[in-house]
Structures are given as structure tokens and as C-alpha cells.
């Protein structure tokens, strides 16, 4: 009888574990859960990321390098205006969403447009975890892949 009672609980536990998608990439305690970009506009563009700190100590996204761009900046918003940020803090055990209209990585000085269907190669640099190379698909405006 005990085995029968334990089996449903074990099944639920395994189902829960299987329903969580594995990270797209990981460096140290930082997991990349999603990455995407929208088409560039002239010599500027942006990329968005969902990051999770799996560790017990805070880390920070401190820099980014984008595709053939002369600069990549971490941007946020303050009072409805975009502002440059020194870093994105990733508290231990927390997920941080970088989304349009809020925190994102902005590229300026692009020498080539990118369009829907392209994939951007971006490098994210974290204070503790180091560098993470990311492939961010370019999707239509309004789409936010999981």
C-alpha cells in the first residue's frame, strides 16, 4: 500500500520537474531563460533577456557586446525616459526580465541591419559569473518568446 501512495506523489514531482524548461545557456550561477531582439531601426537596435540567478550570492550584468555594433549599453527607464544603467543586479534565487519599455541592452552604431528571422550574437558579462555568449532570435515587434 505504501508504494501506491508514494507513486502519485513521485509522479507529480517528476511532472513538475519536466515542465520546467532547461536554460538556453548558463555561466556560473547565471541561467539564460530567454533571449530575443526586435528588428533594428537605422543604426540602432535592442535585445532582451530573461536571466535567473541560481546561486546564493547576488551577481550583476555589467556589460554587453553586440553584433558589429560600435557600442552596447545597458539601458533602463526612469520617469518614462531611457537612461543608461551601470549594471543589472541579479539577486540570489531571483529572475530578472529585461523587456521592451524597461531594462534592455541597446546597440548603437550598427553597420548592418538585422531583420525578423536573423539571429544576433551577443556576449553578456557578469561581475561574478563571467561571460555568456547568447544567440538572440529577431522576432516581430510585440512578440516576446518564452
Amino acid at each position: 500500500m505504501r508504494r501506491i501512495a508514494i507513486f502519485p506523489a513521485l509522479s507529480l514531482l517528476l511532472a513538475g520537474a519536466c515542465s520546467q524548461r532547461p536554460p538556453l545557456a548558463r555561466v556560473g550561477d547565471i541561467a539564460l531563460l530567454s533571449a530575443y531582439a526586435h528588428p533594428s531601426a537605422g543604426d540602432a537596435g535592442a535585445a532582451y533577456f530573461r536571466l535567473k540567478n541560481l546561486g546564493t550570492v547576488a551577481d550583476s550584468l555589467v556589460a554587453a557586446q553586440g553584433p558589429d555594433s560600435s557600442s552596447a549599453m545597458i539601458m533602463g527607464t526612469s520617469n518614462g525616459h531611457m537612461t543608461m544603467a551601470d549594471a543589472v543586479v541579479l539577486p540570489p534565487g531571483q529572475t530578472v526580465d529585461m523587456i521592451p519599455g524597461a531594462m534592455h541592452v541597446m546597440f548603437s552604431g550598427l553597420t548592418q541591419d538585422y531583420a525578423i528571422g536573423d539571429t544576433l550574437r551577443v556576449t553578456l558579462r557578469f561581475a561574478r559569473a563571467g561571460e555568456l555568449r547568447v544567440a538572440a532570435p529577431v522576432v516581430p515587434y510585440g512578440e516576446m518568446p518564452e
Side-chain angles (χ1 to χ4, degrees), residues 57-70:
V57 177
D59 202 343
S60 297
L61 172 63
V62 294
Q65 180 179 348
D68 82 352
S69 61
S70 60

Side-chain angles (χ1 to χ4, degrees), residues 2-17:
R2 279 188 158 162
R3 290 182 191 181
I4 295 171
I6 291 172
F7 182 74
L10 182 59
S11 296
L12 287 172
L13 224 159
L14 289 174

Side-chain angles (χ1 to χ4, degrees), residues 106-129:
M106 183 172 192
F107 309 112
S108 64
L110 293 170
T111 59
Q112 184 176 352
D113 288 338
Y114 52 87
I116 296 167
D118 291 343
T119 300
L120 298 184
R121 304 291 177 201
V122 180
T123 301
L124 303 176
R125 188 172 306 117
F126 299 92
R128 294 180 57 83

Side-chain angles (χ1 to χ4, degrees), residues 33-57:
L33 303 180
S34 70
Y36 65 98
H38 293 308
S40 59
D43 70 344
Y48 311 95
F49 308 96
R50 176 175 240 193
L51 303 164
K52 183 167 187 172
N53 184 344
L54 302 171
T56 58
V57 177

